[in-house]
């Protein structure tokens, strides 16, 4: 991963520490494109760093994933 991607990933992690958010909310807060933010989130999901908490409805009524940092459960540590 290049340096800029690592910086953006760290910014996304810091953003999600405040609580679950959609890609649109993260991209707006970090001033990144939704496409770039979505790609970072999907890469983080592949590495088990984030998870979909639930789906919410957009203004238009479409389902949108609400992303959160993945927490270690007792099952993961045993």
């Amino acid at each position: 991963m290049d340096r800029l991607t690592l910086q953006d990933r760290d910014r996304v992690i810091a953003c999600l520490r405040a609580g679950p958010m959609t890609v649109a909310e993260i991209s707006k807060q970090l001033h990144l494109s939704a496409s770039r933010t979505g790609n970072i989130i999907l890469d983080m999901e592949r590495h088990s760093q984030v998870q979909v908490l639930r789906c919410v409805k957009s203004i238009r009524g479409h389902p949108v994933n609400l992303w959160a940092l993945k927490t270690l459960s007792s099952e993961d540590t045993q």
Side-chain angles (χ1 to χ4, degrees):
M1 223 182 273
D2 64 50
R3 195 179 108 223
L4 184 58
T5 302
L6 289 172
Q7 285 178 332
D8 287 345
R9 187 197 65 191
D10 289 344
R11 292 173 62 208
V12 169
I13 290 170
C15 194
L16 288 174
R17 283 192 180 126
M21 295 183 182
T22 65
V23 167
E25 292 168 335
I26 297 166
S27 66
K28 184 176 181 181
Q29 186 168 339
L30 299 180
H31 304 286
L32 296 172
S33 71
S35 175
R36 178 152 178 83
T37 304
N39 287 335
I40 291 168
I41 287 286
L42 291 177
D43 185 61
M44 291 173 67
E45 182 184 34
R46 280 191 294 273
H47 289 93
S48 298
Q49 295 175 309
V50 295
Q51 63 187 359
V52 175
L53 247 162
R54 64 182 184 273
C55 285
V56 295
K57 297 254 180 180
S58 71
I59 292 172
R60 295 181 180 155
H62 301 287
V64 178
N65 289 334
L66 191 63
W67 294 94
L69 291 174
K70 194 165 188 180
T71 58
L72 289 177
S73 68
S74 58
E75 294 173 5
D76 294 336
T77 57
Q78 293 179 355

